[in-house]
Amino acid sequence: MSVRFREYQEEDWALLLEVMCRFWDELRAKDRYGRMIHPPEYGEVYCSELLQKVASYEGSLQLAFIGEQLVGLVAGIVEEQSAQNRVELGVSR
């Protein structure tokens, strides 16, 4: 089956929470030092901040589906350059 992408919509909130929590649990399973935690509010905090960054930085959040199953996501933002970056590399996006 092929992967299909589509733009995040407000009604996708529960799906976004689910996939981010699954992803975080996968990362935690690989944390050999046991430093990563997963408190109940993790998904809502992380997803809210992600959506805020996407909105603030002219970004895009795409959900990835195989059939009707959400299997992942891609988020991209365009950050403003720091003053240091502008003098090192010139103004760009």
Side-chain angles (χ1 to χ4, degrees):
M1 290 190 149
S2 63
V3 178
R4 156 181 76 81
F5 290 90
R6 74 164 170 75
E7 187 82 27
Y8 170 83
Q9 300 165 5
E10 284 185 39
E11 57 266 17
D12 295 323
W13 176 252
L15 289 173
L16 181 61
L17 286 176
E18 177 188 334
V19 77
M20 288 311 303
C21 287
R22 282 192 341 237
F23 175 63
W24 189 248
D25 286 339
E26 289 289 327
L27 290 177
R28 286 181 59 227
K30 293 171 179 24
D31 175 17
R32 70 175 99 160
Y33 301 109
R35 295 175 296 182
M36 300 169 86
I37 63 173
H38 190 166
E41 67 274 13
Y42 167 78
E44 289 195 24
V45 169
Y46 186 90
C47 292
S48 293
E49 289 186 11
L50 174 63
L51 291 171
Q52 191 172 24
K53 283 182 183 178
V54 167
S56 296
Y57 292 103
E58 301 179 43
S60 178
L61 177 57
Q62 300 288 317
L63 303 181
F65 292 87
I66 294 179
E68 296 301 313
Q69 177 71 36
L70 178 63
V71 295
L73 61 92
V74 176
I77 61 173
V78 179
E79 292 184 314
E80 296 296 321
Q81 287 181 283
S82 68
Q84 178 183 348
N85 188 257
R86 286 192 301 274
V87 298
E88 291 174 341
L89 302 173
V91 177
S92 67
R93 287 186 64 114

